PDB file of all heavy atoms in Angstrom:
ATOM      1  N   GLU A   8      80.850  30.664  33.526  1.00 98.00           N
ATOM      2  CA  GLU A   8      80.535  31.720  32.566  1.00 98.00           C
ATOM      3  C   GLU A   8      81.370  31.588  31.292  1.00 98.00           C
ATOM      4  O   GLU A   8      80.852  31.682  30.172  1.00 98.00           O
ATOM      5  CB  GLU A   8      80.755  33.093  33.208  1.00 98.00           C
ATOM      6  CG  GLU A   8      80.375  34.261  32.307  1.00 98.00           C
ATOM      7  CD  GLU A   8      80.516  35.614  32.992  1.00 98.00           C
ATOM      8  OE1 GLU A   8      80.848  35.639  34.213  1.00 98.00           O
ATOM      9  OE2 GLU A   8      80.299  36.642  32.325  1.00 98.00           O
ATOM     10  N   LYS A   9      82.673  31.370  31.456  1.00 98.00           N
ATOM     11  CA  LYS A   9      83.560  31.283  30.288  1.00 98.00           C
ATOM     12  C   LYS A   9      83.250  30.044  29.449  1.00 98.00           C
ATOM     13  O   LYS A   9      83.199  30.108  28.211  1.00 98.00           O
ATOM     14  CB  LYS A   9      85.026  31.260  30.720  1.00 98.00           C
ATOM     15  CG  LYS A   9      85.534  32.557  31.312  1.00 98.00           C
ATOM     16  CD  LYS A   9      87.041  32.695  31.210  1.00 98.00           C
ATOM     17  CE  LYS A   9      87.503  32.928  29.795  1.00 98.00           C
ATOM     18  NZ  LYS A   9      88.920  33.360  29.717  1.00 98.00           N
ATOM     19  N   ALA A  10      83.063  28.915  30.116  1.00 98.00           N
ATOM     20  CA  ALA A  10      82.849  27.666  29.380  1.00 98.00           C
ATOM     21  C   ALA A  10      81.462  27.604  28.748  1.00 98.00           C
ATOM     22  O   ALA A  10      81.308  27.102  27.626  1.00 98.00           O
ATOM     23  CB  ALA A  10      83.058  26.474  30.308  1.00 98.00           C
ATOM     24  N   ALA A  11      80.464  28.105  29.447  1.00 98.00           N
ATOM     25  CA  ALA A  11      79.097  28.072  28.917  1.00 98.00           C
ATOM     26  C   ALA A  11      78.988  28.853  27.621  1.00 98.00           C
ATOM     27  O   ALA A  11      78.243  28.470  26.703  1.00 98.00           O
ATOM     28  CB  ALA A  11      78.124  28.634  29.956  1.00 98.00           C
ATOM     29  N   ALA A  12      79.728  29.942  27.514  1.00 98.00           N
ATOM     30  CA  ALA A  12      79.697  30.772  26.306  1.00 98.00           C
ATOM     31  C   ALA A  12      80.219  30.025  25.085  1.00 98.00           C
ATOM     32  O   ALA A  12      79.903  30.388  23.945  1.00 98.00           O
ATOM     33  CB  ALA A  12      80.514  32.041  26.532  1.00 98.00           C
ATOM     34  N   HIS A  13      81.000  28.959  25.305  1.00 98.00           N
ATOM     35  CA  HIS A  13      81.545  28.162  24.208  1.00 98.00           C
ATOM     36  C   HIS A  13      80.837  26.806  24.079  1.00 98.00           C
ATOM     37  O   HIS A  13      81.323  25.917  23.375  1.00 98.00           O
ATOM     38  CB  HIS A  13      83.048  27.958  24.400  1.00 98.00           C
ATOM     39  CG  HIS A  13      83.850  29.205  24.200  1.00 98.00           C
ATOM     40  ND1 HIS A  13      84.292  29.624  22.963  1.00 98.00           N
ATOM     41  CD2 HIS A  13      84.263  30.156  25.087  1.00 98.00           C
ATOM     42  CE1 HIS A  13      84.949  30.766  23.084  1.00 98.00           C
ATOM     43  NE2 HIS A  13      84.959  31.109  24.368  1.00 98.00           N
ATOM     44  N   GLY A  14      79.703  26.661  24.765  1.00 98.00           N
ATOM     45  CA  GLY A  14      78.928  25.435  24.635  1.00 98.00           C
ATOM     46  C   GLY A  14      79.548  24.221  25.274  1.00 98.00           C
ATOM     47  O   GLY A  14      79.212  23.076  24.922  1.00 98.00           O
ATOM     48  N   VAL A  15      80.433  24.435  26.238  1.00 98.00           N
ATOM     49  CA  VAL A  15      81.142  23.325  26.884  1.00 98.00           C
ATOM     50  C   VAL A  15      80.290  22.714  27.991  1.00 98.00           C
ATOM     51  O   VAL A  15      79.630  23.430  28.743  1.00 98.00           O
ATOM     52  CB  VAL A  15      82.482  23.818  27.473  1.00 98.00           C
ATOM     53  CG1 VAL A  15      83.133  22.741  28.345  1.00 98.00           C
ATOM     54  CG2 VAL A  15      83.422  24.237  26.358  1.00 98.00           C
ATOM     55  N   GLY A  16      80.330  21.392  28.118  1.00 98.00           N
ATOM     56  CA  GLY A  16      79.754  20.726  29.287  1.00 98.00           C
ATOM     57  C   GLY A  16      78.423  20.051  29.099  1.00 98.00           C
ATOM     58  O   GLY A  16      77.804  19.615  30.063  1.00 98.00           O
ATOM     59  N   ARG A  17      77.945  19.918  27.859  1.00 98.00           N
ATOM     60  CA  ARG A  17      76.671  19.248  27.624  1.00 98.00           C
ATOM     61  C   ARG A  17      76.869  17.746  27.450  1.00 98.00           C
ATOM     62  O   ARG A  17      77.754  17.306  26.712  1.00 98.00           O
ATOM     63  CB  ARG A  17      75.997  19.773  26.355  1.00 98.00           C
ATOM     64  CG  ARG A  17      75.497  21.200  26.430  1.00 98.00           C
ATOM     65  CD  ARG A  17      74.742  21.562  25.152  1.00 98.00           C
ATOM     66  NE  ARG A  17      74.140  22.888  25.233  1.00 98.00           N
ATOM     67  CZ  ARG A  17      73.287  23.374  24.346  1.00 98.00           C
ATOM     68  NH1 ARG A  17      72.937  22.644  23.292  1.00 98.00           N
ATOM     69  NH2 ARG A  17      72.782  24.595  24.495  1.00 98.00           N
ATOM     70  N   ILE A  18      76.030  16.960  28.120  1.00 98.00           N
ATOM     71  CA  ILE A  18      75.988  15.522  27.839  1.00 98.00           C
ATOM     72  C   ILE A  18      74.535  15.065  27.849  1.00 98.00           C
ATOM     73  O   ILE A  18      73.683  15.647  28.511  1.00 98.00           O
ATOM     74  CB  ILE A  18      76.808  14.672  28.844  1.00 98.00           C
ATOM     75  CG1 ILE A  18      76.269  14.824  30.277  1.00 98.00           C
ATOM     76  CG2 ILE A  18      78.277  14.989  28.771  1.00 98.00           C
ATOM     77  CD1 ILE A  18      76.864  13.806  31.240  1.00 98.00           C
ATOM     78  N   ASP A  19      74.268  14.027  27.082  1.00 98.00           N
ATOM     79  CA  ASP A  19      72.943  13.405  26.990  1.00 98.00           C
ATOM     80  C   ASP A  19      73.174  11.925  27.204  1.00 98.00           C
ATOM     81  O   ASP A  19      73.759  11.250  26.360  1.00 98.00           O
ATOM     82  CB  ASP A  19      72.350  13.704  25.609  1.00 98.00           C
ATOM     83  CG  ASP A  19      71.034  12.979  25.345  1.00 98.00           C
ATOM     84  OD1 ASP A  19      70.578  12.219  26.223  1.00 98.00           O
ATOM     85  OD2 ASP A  19      70.482  13.159  24.245  1.00 98.00           O
ATOM     86  N   ILE A  20      72.730  11.396  28.347  1.00 98.00           N
ATOM     87  CA  ILE A  20      73.095  10.022  28.700  1.00 98.00           C
ATOM     88  C   ILE A  20      71.896   9.221  29.196  1.00 98.00           C
ATOM     89  O   ILE A  20      70.881   9.776  29.625  1.00 98.00           O
ATOM     90  CB  ILE A  20      74.191   9.991  29.792  1.00 98.00           C
ATOM     91  CG1 ILE A  20      73.677  10.634  31.098  1.00 98.00           C
ATOM     92  CG2 ILE A  20      75.461  10.659  29.315  1.00 98.00           C
ATOM     93  CD1 ILE A  20      74.613  10.469  32.274  1.00 98.00           C
ATOM     94  N   VAL A  21      72.046   7.919  29.119  1.00 98.00           N
ATOM     95  CA  VAL A  21      71.155   6.992  29.811  1.00 98.00           C
ATOM     96  C   VAL A  21      71.986   6.359  30.913  1.00 98.00           C
ATOM     97  O   VAL A  21      73.042   5.784  30.645  1.00 98.00           O
ATOM     98  CB  VAL A  21      70.598   5.912  28.868  1.00 98.00           C
ATOM     99  CG1 VAL A  21      69.800   4.874  29.651  1.00 98.00           C
ATOM    100  CG2 VAL A  21      69.718   6.553  27.790  1.00 98.00           C
ATOM    101  N   GLU A  22      71.534   6.511  32.146  1.00 97.00           N
ATOM    102  CA  GLU A  22      72.319   6.023  33.279  1.00 97.00           C
ATOM    103  C   GLU A  22      71.560   4.964  34.069  1.00 97.00           C
ATOM    104  O   GLU A  22      70.327   4.865  33.980  1.00 97.00           O
ATOM    105  CB  GLU A  22      72.676   7.185  34.219  1.00 97.00           C
ATOM    106  CG  GLU A  22      71.476   7.760  34.942  1.00 97.00           C
ATOM    107  CD  GLU A  22      71.744   9.120  35.561  1.00 97.00           C
ATOM    108  OE1 GLU A  22      71.886  10.095  34.796  1.00 97.00           O
ATOM    109  OE2 GLU A  22      71.765   9.183  36.801  1.00 97.00           O
ATOM    110  N   ASN A  23      72.286   4.184  34.821  1.00 97.00           N
ATOM    111  CA  ASN A  23      71.686   3.188  35.705  1.00 97.00           C
ATOM    112  C   ASN A  23      71.430   3.804  37.063  1.00 97.00           C
ATOM    113  O   ASN A  23      72.360   4.159  37.783  1.00 97.00           O
ATOM    114  CB  ASN A  23      72.621   1.982  35.852  1.00 97.00           C
ATOM    115  CG  ASN A  23      72.660   1.133  34.607  1.00 97.00           C
ATOM    116  OD1 ASN A  23      71.644   0.584  34.204  1.00 97.00           O
ATOM    117  ND2 ASN A  23      73.823   1.031  33.981  1.00 97.00           N
ATOM    118  N   ARG A  24      70.157   3.960  37.405  1.00 95.00           N
ATOM    119  CA  ARG A  24      69.815   4.471  38.727  1.00 95.00           C
ATOM    120  C   ARG A  24      70.105   3.425  39.792  1.00 95.00           C
ATOM    121  O   ARG A  24      70.070   2.219  39.538  1.00 95.00           O
ATOM    122  CB  ARG A  24      68.328   4.842  38.793  1.00 95.00           C
ATOM    123  CG  ARG A  24      67.966   6.130  38.105  1.00 95.00           C
ATOM    124  CD  ARG A  24      66.504   6.471  38.342  1.00 95.00           C
ATOM    125  NE  ARG A  24      66.128   7.710  37.665  1.00 95.00           N
ATOM    126  CZ  ARG A  24      64.885   8.179  37.621  1.00 95.00           C
ATOM    127  NH1 ARG A  24      63.906   7.504  38.208  1.00 95.00           N
ATOM    128  NH2 ARG A  24      64.622   9.310  36.997  1.00 95.00           N
ATOM    129  N   LEU A  25      70.342   3.909  40.989  1.00 93.00           N
ATOM    130  CA  LEU A  25      70.588   3.027  42.126  1.00 93.00           C
ATOM    131  C   LEU A  25      69.393   2.115  42.391  1.00 93.00           C
ATOM    132  O   LEU A  25      69.557   0.960  42.797  1.00 93.00           O
ATOM    133  CB  LEU A  25      70.898   3.883  43.363  1.00 93.00           C
ATOM    134  CG  LEU A  25      71.008   3.188  44.709  1.00 93.00           C
ATOM    135  CD1 LEU A  25      72.119   2.149  44.689  1.00 93.00           C
ATOM    136  CD2 LEU A  25      71.272   4.208  45.809  1.00 93.00           C
ATOM    137  N   VAL A  26      68.173   2.619  42.155  1.00 90.00           N
ATOM    138  CA  VAL A  26      66.970   1.858  42.485  1.00 90.00           C
ATOM    139  C   VAL A  26      66.627   0.802  41.438  1.00 90.00           C
ATOM    140  O   VAL A  26      65.615   0.116  41.565  1.00 90.00           O
ATOM    141  CB  VAL A  26      65.757   2.793  42.691  1.00 90.00           C
ATOM    142  CG1 VAL A  26      65.947   3.641  43.931  1.00 90.00           C
ATOM    143  CG2 VAL A  26      65.535   3.683  41.461  1.00 90.00           C
ATOM    144  N   GLY A  27      67.459   0.658  40.389  1.00 92.00           N
ATOM    145  CA  GLY A  27      67.301  -0.477  39.493  1.00 92.00           C
ATOM    146  C   GLY A  27      66.874  -0.168  38.079  1.00 92.00           C
ATOM    147  O   GLY A  27      67.066  -0.999  37.193  1.00 92.00           O
ATOM    148  N   MET A  28      66.279   0.996  37.849  1.00 94.00           N
ATOM    149  CA  MET A  28      65.830   1.325  36.494  1.00 94.00           C
ATOM    150  C   MET A  28      66.853   2.201  35.782  1.00 94.00           C
ATOM    151  O   MET A  28      67.745   2.775  36.408  1.00 94.00           O
ATOM    152  CB  MET A  28      64.482   2.052  36.552  1.00 94.00           C
ATOM    153  CG  MET A  28      64.547   3.431  37.175  1.00 94.00           C
ATOM    154  SD  MET A  28      62.924   4.178  37.393  1.00 94.00           S
ATOM    155  CE  MET A  28      62.330   3.273  38.834  1.00 94.00           C
ATOM    156  N   LYS A  29      66.716   2.287  34.474  1.00 96.00           N
ATOM    157  CA  LYS A  29      67.525   3.219  33.696  1.00 96.00           C
ATOM    158  C   LYS A  29      66.765   4.526  33.542  1.00 96.00           C
ATOM    159  O   LYS A  29      65.534   4.543  33.486  1.00 96.00           O
ATOM    160  CB  LYS A  29      67.857   2.637  32.321  1.00 96.00           C
ATOM    161  CG  LYS A  29      68.853   1.485  32.357  1.00 96.00           C
ATOM    162  CD  LYS A  29      69.210   1.028  30.960  1.00 96.00           C
ATOM    163  CE  LYS A  29      70.207  -0.133  30.985  1.00 96.00           C
ATOM    164  NZ  LYS A  29      71.550   0.274  31.458  1.00 96.00           N
ATOM    165  N   SER A  30      67.498   5.619  33.451  1.00 95.00           N
ATOM    166  CA  SER A  30      66.861   6.915  33.212  1.00 95.00           C
ATOM    167  C   SER A  30      67.708   7.698  32.219  1.00 95.00           C
ATOM    168  O   SER A  30      68.921   7.521  32.138  1.00 95.00           O
ATOM    169  CB  SER A  30      66.696   7.707  34.511  1.00 95.00           C
ATOM    170  OG  SER A  30      67.960   8.081  35.034  1.00 95.00           O
ATOM    171  N   ARG A  31      67.035   8.570  31.480  1.00 97.00           N
ATOM    172  CA  ARG A  31      67.716   9.399  30.496  1.00 97.00           C
ATOM    173  C   ARG A  31      67.740  10.824  31.030  1.00 97.00           C
ATOM    174  O   ARG A  31      66.738  11.358  31.485  1.00 97.00           O
ATOM    175  CB  ARG A  31      66.948   9.323  29.169  1.00 97.00           C
ATOM    176  CG  ARG A  31      67.715   9.839  27.935  1.00 97.00           C
ATOM    177  CD  ARG A  31      67.354  11.256  27.572  1.00 97.00           C
ATOM    178  NE  ARG A  31      67.916  11.646  26.287  1.00 97.00           N
ATOM    179  CZ  ARG A  31      67.215  11.710  25.149  1.00 97.00           C
ATOM    180  NH1 ARG A  31      65.927  11.402  25.144  1.00 97.00           N
ATOM    181  NH2 ARG A  31      67.802  12.116  24.037  1.00 97.00           N
ATOM    182  N   GLY A  32      68.891  11.428  30.992  1.00 96.00           N
ATOM    183  CA  GLY A  32      69.022  12.799  31.474  1.00 96.00           C
ATOM    184  C   GLY A  32      69.986  13.599  30.634  1.00 96.00           C
ATOM    185  O   GLY A  32      70.925  13.045  30.046  1.00 96.00           O
ATOM    186  N   CYS A  33      69.745  14.896  30.560  1.00 98.00           N
ATOM    187  CA  CYS A  33      70.672  15.813  29.923  1.00 98.00           C
ATOM    188  C   CYS A  33      71.284  16.689  31.007  1.00 98.00           C
ATOM    189  O   CYS A  33      70.562  17.204  31.874  1.00 98.00           O
ATOM    190  CB  CYS A  33      69.954  16.672  28.885  1.00 98.00           C
ATOM    191  SG  CYS A  33      69.431  15.756  27.420  1.00 98.00           S
ATOM    192  N   TYR A  34      72.589  16.836  30.975  1.00 98.00           N
ATOM    193  CA  TYR A  34      73.298  17.580  32.007  1.00 98.00           C
ATOM    194  C   TYR A  34      74.159  18.669  31.376  1.00 98.00           C
ATOM    195  O   TYR A  34      74.748  18.470  30.313  1.00 98.00           O
ATOM    196  CB  TYR A  34      74.197  16.648  32.820  1.00 98.00           C
ATOM    197  CG  TYR A  34      73.466  15.543  33.553  1.00 98.00           C
ATOM    198  CD1 TYR A  34      73.308  14.296  32.980  1.00 98.00           C
ATOM    199  CD2 TYR A  34      72.945  15.756  34.830  1.00 98.00           C
ATOM    200  CE1 TYR A  34      72.642  13.269  33.655  1.00 98.00           C
ATOM    201  CE2 TYR A  34      72.283  14.743  35.510  1.00 98.00           C
ATOM    202  CZ  TYR A  34      72.133  13.509  34.914  1.00 98.00           C
ATOM    203  OH  TYR A  34      71.479  12.505  35.588  1.00 98.00           O
ATOM    204  N   GLU A  35      74.233  19.803  32.062  1.00 98.00           N
ATOM    205  CA  GLU A  35      75.119  20.889  31.662  1.00 98.00           C
ATOM    206  C   GLU A  35      76.066  21.187  32.814  1.00 98.00           C
ATOM    207  O   GLU A  35      75.635  21.586  33.892  1.00 98.00           O
ATOM    208  CB  GLU A  35      74.305  22.133  31.297  1.00 98.00           C
ATOM    209  CG  GLU A  35      73.383  21.930  30.108  1.00 98.00           C
ATOM    210  CD  GLU A  35      72.516  23.137  29.837  1.00 98.00           C
ATOM    211  OE1 GLU A  35      72.960  24.051  29.113  1.00 98.00           O
ATOM    212  OE2 GLU A  35      71.379  23.174  30.355  1.00 98.00           O
ATOM    213  N   THR A  36      77.350  20.979  32.584  1.00 98.00           N
ATOM    214  CA  THR A  36      78.369  21.170  33.610  1.00 98.00           C
ATOM    215  C   THR A  36      79.548  21.908  32.992  1.00 98.00           C
ATOM    216  O   THR A  36      80.636  21.346  32.830  1.00 98.00           O
ATOM    217  CB  THR A  36      78.829  19.805  34.176  1.00 98.00           C
ATOM    218  OG1 THR A  36      77.708  18.954  34.372  1.00 98.00           O
ATOM    219  CG2 THR A  36      79.573  19.975  35.506  1.00 98.00           C
ATOM    220  N   PRO A  37      79.365  23.168  32.634  1.00 98.00           N
ATOM    221  CA  PRO A  37      80.421  23.873  31.883  1.00 98.00           C
ATOM    222  C   PRO A  37      81.721  24.053  32.654  1.00 98.00           C
ATOM    223  O   PRO A  37      82.784  23.592  32.215  1.00 98.00           O
ATOM    224  CB  PRO A  37      79.770  25.209  31.529  1.00 98.00           C
ATOM    225  CG  PRO A  37      78.642  25.376  32.500  1.00 98.00           C
ATOM    226  CD  PRO A  37      78.157  24.002  32.798  1.00 98.00           C
TER     227      PRO A  37
END
């Protein structure tokens, strides 16, 4: 609650999946 109010924890990444392909995801982990 405290961190989300300040916009903390956003990332936009391209990651290597275990199954071999790349994927793009946005994550919020305040």
Side-chain angles (χ1 to χ4, degrees):
E8 183 176 356
K9 291 203 71 167
H13 290 274
V15 171
R17 291 185 175 189
I18 61 169
D19 174 359
I20 63 172
V21 174
E22 68 196 70
N23 287 298
R24 284 185 181 175
L25 172 60
V26 293
M28 67 186 76
K29 289 184 180 291
S30 67
R31 195 262 189 102
C33 290
Y34 299 94
E35 297 176 87
T36 318

